[in-house]
């Protein structure tokens, strides 16, 4: 079973928002949910786990700042991406790049020292 990435998409233009949701949902690894207002986005974020928040058209700098603060307060590891157009290829690339960065940052590292022979000396008998 494929683990799907949940993406909350926030945008002011309903037509563009629905297009972005459709583009996200075209990828079988992703599930996109749209929100047209800050209140709707905050409510959905509080009631459902999202891996990524995608900010699209029409969100002011102040609104973005407020949303980032609220979302990162609730989930410090949330990925927040700005996407203001450029086609489905760019959109998919931006999402994949952000997911890959988080995956690399969370990748466990293993380090060990092989000291099995540290006290070994020559075994010479006369």
């Amino acid at each position: 079973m494929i683990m799907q990435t949940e993406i909350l998409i926030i945008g002011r233009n309903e037509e563009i928002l629905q297009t972005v949701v459709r583009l996200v949902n075209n990828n079988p690894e992703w599930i996109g949910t749209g929100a047209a207002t800050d209140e709707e986005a905050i409510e959905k974020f509080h009631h459902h786990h999202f891996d990524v928040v995608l900010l699209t058209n029409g969100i002011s700098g102040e609104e973005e700042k407020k949303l980032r603060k609220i979302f990162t307060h609730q989930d410090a590891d949330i990925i927040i991406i700005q996407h203001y157009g450029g086609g489905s290829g760019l959109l998919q690339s931006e999402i994949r790049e952000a997911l890959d960065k988080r995956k690399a940052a969370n990748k466990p590292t293993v380090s060990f020292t092989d000291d099995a022979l540290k006290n070994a000396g020559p075994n010479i008998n006369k």
Side-chain angles (χ1 to χ4, degrees):
M1 182 174 174
I2 296 175
M3 190 74 171
Q4 292 182 306
T5 300
E6 298 274 349
I7 302 173
L8 177 60
I9 304 152
I10 307 167
R12 299 298 182 250
N13 181 301
E14 189 67 36
E15 215 174 291
I16 294 172
L17 177 61
Q18 292 310 315
T19 299
V20 174
V21 169
R22 182 179 45 77
L23 290 172
V24 166
N25 286 329
N26 281 341
N27 186 317
E29 297 173 9
W30 302 338
I31 298 175
T33 303
T37 66
D38 292 350
E39 293 76 21
E40 181 185 8
I42 293 165
E43 182 178 340
K44 287 181 179 187
F45 193 85
H46 284 307
H47 289 93
H48 188 81
H49 170 77
F50 290 96
D51 303 294
V52 176
V53 172
L54 183 66
L55 305 173
T56 65
N57 63 299
I59 299 171
S60 73
E62 281 301 310
E63 291 169 321
E64 179 181 337
K65 186 176 177 180
K66 174 181 78 172
L67 291 170
R68 282 181 182 274
K69 189 172 188 173
I70 291 168
F71 296 152
T72 55
H73 179 73
Q74 186 171 336
D75 180 357
D77 294 328
I78 190 69
I79 297 171
I80 301 175
I81 303 170
Q82 293 176 312
H83 176 76
Y84 297 113
S88 63
L90 179 60
L91 173 65
Q92 291 203 16
S93 175
E94 289 170 340
I95 294 170
R96 284 190 196 285
E97 183 179 319
L99 291 170
D100 288 346
K101 274 186 187 177
R102 178 168 62 185
K103 191 176 184 180
N106 292 337
K107 187 175 183 178
T109 58
V110 176
S111 177
F112 64 92
T113 303
D114 183 2
D115 63 351
L117 301 175
K118 79 176 184 180
N119 294 324
N123 189 10
I124 302 172
N125 292 325
K126 290 188 180 182

